[in-house]
Amino acid sequence: MVMLSWVSFWIDRRAVPARVSLGITTVLTMSTIITAVSASMPQVSYLKAVDVYLWVSSFFVFLSVIEYAAVNYLTTVEERKQFKKTGKISRMYNIDAVQAMAFDGCYHDSEIDMDQTSLSLNSEDFMRRKSIRSPSTDSTRIKRRKSLGGHVGRIILENNHVIDTYSRILFPIVYILFNLFYWGVYV
């Protein structure tokens, strides 16, 4: 479960539902594991080795959720600073890209990409496009998805926060050190 919580460091920081649901799921699973192990063990007045391991592991899972809260907060602060500085919203949170992603499920990382598949929120226009789908529109969409597939790694690297980058390395190293210490002491 601890390693599963680290997957969120690799998910794009704008994918709030994905990261939050992964974090909450791992936290709840760890609490369920702790409860199940406590119920199956004899009740004693002292701390057991399994309790130490599960509580520290649960702490690591909880820290991964807190890490995303920090990334989300700092991203918001950066966006506000950029908005005050330039007077417009960053390309990172281009509202047209967000709207287009809601319609077709693809992230649009460039204005050229947006021009090729510009979507309107006008319901008549959207319904007309949906009912009359030409082969050229479908081929443009397929072309865009193929071009996006080749650049997924670049997009992830450009759109992550420095905290995510450090967390990808720091969390596993610290957890491995904890495991070495724990198994060295208790075995």
Side-chain angles (χ1 to χ4, degrees), residues 34 47 54 74 79 90 94 101 116 125 127 131 134 137 148 158 168 172 177 181:
I34 290 171
L47 191 64
L54 289 176
L74 292 174
E79 287 295 316
S90 167
N94 185 350
M101 191 166 95
Q116 290 176 349
D125 189 36
M127 294 307 278
S131 64
S134 67
T137 305
L148 180 66
E158 287 177 357
R168 292 174 188 169
L177 290 174
F181 176 77

Side-chain angles (χ1 to χ4, degrees), residues 7-179:
V7 171
S8 69
F9 304 148
W10 295 92
I11 297 175
D12 187 17
R13 64 182 167 170
R14 292 171 304 212
V16 176
R19 288 186 75 158
V20 169
S21 62
L22 180 64
I24 295 302
T25 301
T26 53
V27 166
L28 290 175
T29 303
M30 282 303 297
S31 66
T32 303
I33 290 170
I34 290 171
T35 303
V37 169
S38 292
S40 67
M41 297 294 229
Q43 298 298 321
V44 293
S45 62
Y46 52 87
L47 191 64
K48 298 180 289 289
V50 70
D51 292 334
V52 171
Y53 188 79
L54 289 176
W55 280 104
V56 171
S57 296
S58 180
F59 181 70
F60 272 91
V61 170
F62 185 71
L63 280 180
S64 71
V65 174
I66 298 300
E67 183 268 350
Y68 179 63
V71 167
N72 195 19
Y73 175 75
L74 292 174
T75 300
T76 304
V77 168
E78 287 174 10
E79 287 295 316
R80 285 185 186 156
K81 285 180 184 176
Q82 186 169 353
F83 180 73
K84 287 180 182 177
K85 188 177 182 181
T86 63
K88 53 182 157 175
I89 297 175
S90 167
R91 241 182 38 130
M92 182 182 357
Y93 291 103
N94 185 350
I95 192 67
D96 293 333
V98 173
Q99 291 168 349
M101 191 166 95
F103 284 116
D104 67 3
C106 290
Y107 173 69
H108 302 270
D109 62 340
S110 68
E111 291 179 19
I112 296 167
D113 190 29
M114 286 302 300
D115 290 340
Q116 290 176 349
T117 60
S118 60
L119 293 174
S120 170
L121 288 180
N122 185 348
S123 61
E124 291 176 12
D125 189 36
F126 178 70
M127 294 307 278
R128 183 170 36 88
R129 287 182 188 190
K130 190 174 180 179
S131 64
I132 306 170
R133 188 160 290 201
S134 67
S136 65
T137 305
D138 287 338
S139 66
T140 303
R141 184 172 299 208
I142 291 168
K143 179 181 168 186
R144 185 186 74 249
R145 286 187 181 167
K146 285 181 182 176
S147 69
L148 180 66
H151 300 293
V152 169
R154 181 183 54 82
I155 291 169
I156 290 172
L157 289 176
E158 287 177 357
N159 294 323
N160 67 353
H161 198 274
V162 69
I163 295 175
D164 277 339
T165 305
Y166 287 125
S167 296
R168 292 174 188 169
I169 298 165
L170 192 63
F171 271 72
I173 288 173
V174 173
Y175 192 69
I176 288 169
L177 290 174
F178 161 71
N179 272 290

